[in-house]
mmCIF file of all heavy atoms in Angstrom:
data_model
loop_
_atom_site.group_PDB
_atom_site.id
_atom_site.type_symbol
_atom_site.label_atom_id
_atom_site.label_comp_id
_atom_site.label_asym_id
_atom_site.label_seq_id
_atom_site.Cartn_x
_atom_site.Cartn_y
_atom_site.Cartn_z
ATOM 1 N N PRO A 1 13.279 23.722 -26.697
ATOM 2 C CA PRO A 1 14.080 24.649 -27.480
ATOM 3 C C PRO A 1 15.578 24.467 -27.241
ATOM 4 O O PRO A 1 16.394 24.982 -27.965
ATOM 5 C CB PRO A 1 13.619 26.017 -26.986
ATOM 6 C CG PRO A 1 13.164 25.772 -25.592
ATOM 7 C CD PRO A 1 12.602 24.368 -25.582
ATOM 8 N N MET A 2 15.953 23.702 -26.200
ATOM 9 C CA MET A 2 17.352 23.560 -25.817
ATOM 10 C C MET A 2 18.057 22.407 -26.499
ATOM 11 O O MET A 2 19.251 22.268 -26.363
ATOM 12 C CB MET A 2 17.458 23.355 -24.310
ATOM 13 C CG MET A 2 16.839 24.444 -23.484
ATOM 14 S SD MET A 2 16.922 24.003 -21.755
ATOM 15 C CE MET A 2 15.387 23.131 -21.558
ATOM 16 N N GLY A 3 17.322 21.525 -27.175
ATOM 17 C CA GLY A 3 17.947 20.334 -27.724
ATOM 18 C C GLY A 3 18.483 19.448 -26.613
ATOM 19 O O GLY A 3 19.657 19.120 -26.562
ATOM 20 N N ILE A 4 17.620 19.062 -25.694
ATOM 21 C CA ILE A 4 18.036 18.309 -24.507
ATOM 22 C C ILE A 4 18.644 16.970 -24.900
ATOM 23 O O ILE A 4 18.109 16.254 -25.730
ATOM 24 C CB ILE A 4 16.835 18.127 -23.552
ATOM 25 C CG1 ILE A 4 16.467 19.476 -22.937
ATOM 26 C CG2 ILE A 4 17.138 17.119 -22.468
ATOM 27 C CD1 ILE A 4 15.327 19.441 -21.977
ATOM 28 N N ASP A 5 19.785 16.652 -24.292
ATOM 29 C CA ASP A 5 20.471 15.388 -24.534
ATOM 30 C C ASP A 5 19.669 14.246 -23.915
ATOM 31 O O ASP A 5 19.166 14.360 -22.813
ATOM 32 C CB ASP A 5 21.885 15.439 -23.969
ATOM 33 C CG ASP A 5 21.968 16.150 -22.625
ATOM 34 O OD1 ASP A 5 21.121 17.006 -22.350
ATOM 35 O OD2 ASP A 5 22.872 15.832 -21.843
ATOM 36 N N THR A 6 19.564 13.155 -24.650
ATOM 37 C CA THR A 6 18.588 12.139 -24.264
ATOM 38 C C THR A 6 19.129 10.715 -24.273
ATOM 39 O O THR A 6 18.392 9.795 -24.568
ATOM 40 C CB THR A 6 17.384 12.206 -25.206
ATOM 41 O OG1 THR A 6 17.831 11.969 -26.539
ATOM 42 C CG2 THR A 6 16.663 13.520 -25.115
ATOM 43 N N MET A 7 20.383 10.505 -23.978
ATOM 44 C CA MET A 7 20.910 9.142 -23.913
ATOM 45 C C MET A 7 20.856 8.666 -22.459
ATOM 46 O O MET A 7 21.456 9.284 -21.578
ATOM 47 C CB MET A 7 22.336 9.097 -24.453
ATOM 48 C CG MET A 7 22.396 9.440 -25.911
ATOM 49 S SD MET A 7 23.988 9.166 -26.703
ATOM 50 C CE MET A 7 25.169 9.703 -25.524
ATOM 51 N N PHE A 8 20.108 7.578 -22.235
ATOM 52 C CA PHE A 8 19.939 7.042 -20.888
ATOM 53 C C PHE A 8 20.239 5.566 -20.877
ATOM 54 O O PHE A 8 20.042 4.875 -21.865
ATOM 55 C CB PHE A 8 18.510 7.298 -20.378
ATOM 56 C CG PHE A 8 18.176 8.753 -20.297
ATOM 57 C CD1 PHE A 8 17.497 9.381 -21.315
ATOM 58 C CD2 PHE A 8 18.581 9.502 -19.207
ATOM 59 C CE1 PHE A 8 17.212 10.729 -21.255
ATOM 60 C CE2 PHE A 8 18.307 10.854 -19.138
ATOM 61 C CZ PHE A 8 17.612 11.468 -20.161
ATOM 62 N N GLN A 9 20.682 5.065 -19.729
ATOM 63 C CA GLN A 9 20.932 3.640 -19.597
ATOM 64 C C GLN A 9 19.755 2.923 -18.941
ATOM 65 O O GLN A 9 19.644 1.702 -19.045
ATOM 66 C CB GLN A 9 22.207 3.378 -18.818
ATOM 67 C CG GLN A 9 22.138 3.745 -17.352
ATOM 68 C CD GLN A 9 23.461 3.564 -16.657
ATOM 69 O OE1 GLN A 9 24.496 3.936 -17.187
ATOM 70 N NE2 GLN A 9 23.435 2.990 -15.472
ATOM 71 N N GLU A 10 18.864 3.690 -18.293
ATOM 72 C CA GLU A 10 17.730 3.059 -17.628
ATOM 73 C C GLU A 10 16.572 4.039 -17.533
ATOM 74 O O GLU A 10 16.768 5.223 -17.246
ATOM 75 C CB GLU A 10 18.148 2.614 -16.223
ATOM 76 C CG GLU A 10 17.101 1.853 -15.465
ATOM 77 C CD GLU A 10 17.594 1.404 -14.096
ATOM 78 O OE1 GLU A 10 18.803 1.165 -13.925
ATOM 79 O OE2 GLU A 10 16.740 1.307 -13.192
ATOM 80 N N VAL A 11 15.362 3.540 -17.772
ATOM 81 C CA VAL A 11 14.126 4.307 -17.604
ATOM 82 C C VAL A 11 13.188 3.447 -16.780
ATOM 83 O O VAL A 11 12.975 2.277 -17.089
ATOM 84 C CB VAL A 11 13.466 4.638 -18.968
ATOM 85 C CG1 VAL A 11 12.130 5.330 -18.765
ATOM 86 C CG2 VAL A 11 14.385 5.487 -19.830
ATOM 87 N N SER A 12 12.636 4.017 -15.706
ATOM 88 C CA SER A 12 11.647 3.284 -14.914
ATOM 89 C C SER A 12 10.478 4.206 -14.604
ATOM 90 O O SER A 12 10.565 5.424 -14.757
ATOM 91 C CB SER A 12 12.271 2.736 -13.625
ATOM 92 O OG SER A 12 12.762 3.779 -12.821
ATOM 93 N N GLY A 13 9.376 3.595 -14.186
ATOM 94 C CA GLY A 13 8.161 4.357 -13.909
ATOM 95 C C GLY A 13 7.160 4.268 -15.041
ATOM 96 O O GLY A 13 6.264 5.098 -15.143
ATOM 97 N N LEU A 14 7.285 3.254 -15.891
ATOM 98 C CA LEU A 14 6.366 3.081 -17.027
ATOM 99 C C LEU A 14 5.158 2.270 -16.564
ATOM 100 O O LEU A 14 4.933 1.147 -17.023
ATOM 101 C CB LEU A 14 7.071 2.358 -18.189
ATOM 102 C CG LEU A 14 8.326 3.019 -18.736
ATOM 103 C CD1 LEU A 14 8.985 2.131 -19.779
ATOM 104 C CD2 LEU A 14 8.006 4.376 -19.316
ATOM 105 N N SER A 15 4.399 2.819 -15.657
ATOM 106 C CA SER A 15 3.244 2.088 -15.144
ATOM 107 C C SER A 15 2.129 3.042 -14.743
ATOM 108 O O SER A 15 2.332 4.244 -14.622
ATOM 109 C CB SER A 15 3.648 1.223 -13.941
ATOM 110 O OG SER A 15 4.064 2.023 -12.873
ATOM 111 N N ALA A 16 0.969 2.469 -14.572
ATOM 112 C CA ALA A 16 -0.200 3.203 -14.099
ATOM 113 C C ALA A 16 -0.987 2.257 -13.203
ATOM 114 O O ALA A 16 -1.030 1.051 -13.448
ATOM 115 C CB ALA A 16 -1.057 3.668 -15.272
ATOM 116 N N GLU A 17 -1.599 2.804 -12.173
ATOM 117 C CA GLU A 17 -2.343 1.982 -11.226
ATOM 118 C C GLU A 17 -3.697 2.613 -10.954
ATOM 119 O O GLU A 17 -3.782 3.807 -10.647
ATOM 120 C CB GLU A 17 -1.561 1.862 -9.913
ATOM 121 C CG GLU A 17 -2.253 1.037 -8.861
ATOM 122 C CD GLU A 17 -1.456 0.957 -7.563
ATOM 123 O OE1 GLU A 17 -0.312 1.427 -7.525
ATOM 124 O OE2 GLU A 17 -2.013 0.437 -6.581
ATOM 125 N N LEU A 18 -4.724 1.811 -11.076
ATOM 126 C CA LEU A 18 -6.084 2.267 -10.776
ATOM 127 C C LEU A 18 -6.319 2.086 -9.281
ATOM 128 O O LEU A 18 -6.219 0.977 -8.754
ATOM 129 C CB LEU A 18 -7.111 1.464 -11.570
ATOM 130 C CG LEU A 18 -8.563 1.863 -11.393
ATOM 131 C CD1 LEU A 18 -8.795 3.283 -11.896
ATOM 132 C CD2 LEU A 18 -9.469 0.891 -12.119
ATOM 133 N N THR A 19 -6.589 3.182 -8.583
ATOM 134 C CA THR A 19 -6.878 3.091 -7.156
ATOM 135 C C THR A 19 -8.378 2.836 -6.971
ATOM 136 O O THR A 19 -9.185 3.151 -7.850
ATOM 137 C CB THR A 19 -6.470 4.372 -6.405
ATOM 138 O OG1 THR A 19 -7.210 5.473 -6.930
ATOM 139 C CG2 THR A 19 -4.987 4.630 -6.543
ATOM 140 N N VAL A 20 -8.694 2.259 -5.846
ATOM 141 C CA VAL A 20 -10.096 1.954 -5.554
ATOM 142 C C VAL A 20 -10.499 2.580 -4.228
ATOM 143 O O VAL A 20 -9.666 2.800 -3.344
ATOM 144 C CB VAL A 20 -10.356 0.429 -5.519
ATOM 145 C CG1 VAL A 20 -10.150 -0.198 -6.881
ATOM 146 C CG2 VAL A 20 -9.514 -0.257 -4.474
ATOM 147 N N GLU A 21 -11.772 2.862 -4.127
ATOM 148 C CA GLU A 21 -12.348 3.380 -2.885
ATOM 149 C C GLU A 21 -13.206 2.276 -2.297
ATOM 150 O O GLU A 21 -14.023 1.680 -2.999
ATOM 151 C CB GLU A 21 -13.194 4.610 -3.199
ATOM 152 C CG GLU A 21 -13.797 5.272 -1.995
ATOM 153 C CD GLU A 21 -14.593 6.513 -2.375
ATOM 154 O OE1 GLU A 21 -14.245 7.164 -3.372
ATOM 155 O OE2 GLU A 21 -15.575 6.795 -1.670
ATOM 156 N N GLU A 22 -12.994 2.007 -1.024
ATOM 157 C CA GLU A 22 -13.769 0.948 -0.380
ATOM 158 C C GLU A 22 -15.061 1.517 0.195
ATOM 159 O O GLU A 22 -15.050 2.562 0.844
ATOM 160 C CB GLU A 22 -12.944 0.269 0.713
ATOM 161 C CG GLU A 22 -11.774 -0.510 0.154
ATOM 162 C CD GLU A 22 -11.059 -1.326 1.211
ATOM 163 O OE1 GLU A 22 -11.402 -1.224 2.411
ATOM 164 O OE2 GLU A 22 -10.154 -2.075 0.814
ATOM 165 N N LEU A 23 -16.145 0.812 -0.059
ATOM 166 C CA LEU A 23 -17.461 1.222 0.410
ATOM 167 C C LEU A 23 -18.054 0.077 1.217
ATOM 168 O O LEU A 23 -18.267 -1.022 0.695
ATOM 169 C CB LEU A 23 -18.367 1.566 -0.770
ATOM 170 C CG LEU A 23 -19.790 1.987 -0.434
ATOM 171 C CD1 LEU A 23 -19.799 3.300 0.332
ATOM 172 C CD2 LEU A 23 -20.612 2.110 -1.699
ATOM 173 N N VAL A 24 -18.283 0.337 2.497
ATOM 174 C CA VAL A 24 -18.850 -0.672 3.374
ATOM 175 C C VAL A 24 -20.364 -0.567 3.303
ATOM 176 O O VAL A 24 -20.944 0.514 3.460
ATOM 177 C CB VAL A 24 -18.364 -0.472 4.827
ATOM 178 C CG1 VAL A 24 -18.989 -1.496 5.752
ATOM 179 C CG2 VAL A 24 -16.854 -0.526 4.889
ATOM 180 N N GLU A 25 -21.015 -1.683 3.032
ATOM 181 C CA GLU A 25 -22.476 -1.727 2.969
ATOM 182 C C GLU A 25 -23.009 -2.185 4.318
ATOM 183 O O GLU A 25 -22.566 -3.210 4.855
ATOM 184 C CB GLU A 25 -22.899 -2.703 1.861
ATOM 185 C CG GLU A 25 -24.386 -2.804 1.671
ATOM 186 C CD GLU A 25 -24.755 -3.766 0.555
ATOM 187 O OE1 GLU A 25 -23.868 -4.232 -0.176
ATOM 188 O OE2 GLU A 25 -25.961 -4.057 0.432
ATOM 189 N N GLY A 26 -23.918 -1.427 4.881
ATOM 190 C CA GLY A 26 -24.482 -1.766 6.180
ATOM 191 C C GLY A 26 -25.165 -3.127 6.162
ATOM 192 O O GLY A 26 -25.926 -3.442 5.251
ATOM 193 N N GLY A 27 -24.858 -3.965 7.130
ATOM 194 C CA GLY A 27 -25.464 -5.281 7.238
ATOM 195 C C GLY A 27 -24.744 -6.352 6.427
ATOM 196 O O GLY A 27 -25.043 -7.531 6.567
ATOM 197 N N GLU A 28 -23.804 -5.983 5.575
ATOM 198 C CA GLU A 28 -23.062 -6.949 4.761
ATOM 199 C C GLU A 28 -21.652 -7.087 5.337
ATOM 200 O O GLU A 28 -20.853 -6.167 5.250
ATOM 201 C CB GLU A 28 -22.989 -6.483 3.311
ATOM 202 C CG GLU A 28 -22.241 -7.407 2.387
ATOM 203 C CD GLU A 28 -22.811 -8.811 2.353
ATOM 204 O OE1 GLU A 28 -23.913 -8.995 1.797
ATOM 205 O OE2 GLU A 28 -22.168 -9.732 2.878
ATOM 206 N N ASN A 29 -21.347 -8.244 5.930
ATOM 207 C CA ASN A 29 -20.050 -8.458 6.561
ATOM 208 C C ASN A 29 -19.125 -9.363 5.753
ATOM 209 O O ASN A 29 -17.992 -9.582 6.141
ATOM 210 C CB ASN A 29 -20.234 -9.058 7.964
ATOM 211 C CG ASN A 29 -20.949 -8.098 8.894
ATOM 212 O OD1 ASN A 29 -20.764 -6.895 8.789
ATOM 213 N ND2 ASN A 29 -21.770 -8.624 9.783
ATOM 214 N N ARG A 30 -19.609 -9.918 4.641
ATOM 215 C CA ARG A 30 -18.793 -10.862 3.868
ATOM 216 C C ARG A 30 -17.780 -10.167 2.961
ATOM 217 O O ARG A 30 -16.748 -10.740 2.651
ATOM 218 C CB ARG A 30 -19.697 -11.751 3.000
ATOM 219 C CG ARG A 30 -20.575 -12.678 3.821
ATOM 220 C CD ARG A 30 -21.490 -13.471 2.940
ATOM 221 N NE ARG A 30 -22.418 -12.528 2.282
ATOM 222 C CZ ARG A 30 -23.149 -12.802 1.221
ATOM 223 N NH1 ARG A 30 -23.048 -13.976 0.658
ATOM 224 N NH2 ARG A 30 -23.967 -11.917 0.722
#
């Protein structure tokens, strides 16, 4: 509602990262 001013010289953070959960299987060492 404020009419925010929007002129920028740089924008960063345009990314996404899929995190993973590690699961150790008993008896499997490879």
Side-chain angles (χ1 to χ4, degrees):
M2 303 175 270
I4 290 181
D5 40 333
T6 60
M7 295 189 320
F8 299 97
Q9 69 184 44
E10 184 178 330
V11 175
S12 61
L14 302 174
S15 64
E17 180 181 353
L18 182 64
T19 61
V20 294
E21 182 178 330
E22 293 187 355
L23 179 65
V24 178
E25 182 179 351
E28 180 58 71
N29 295 326
R30 294 177 295 163

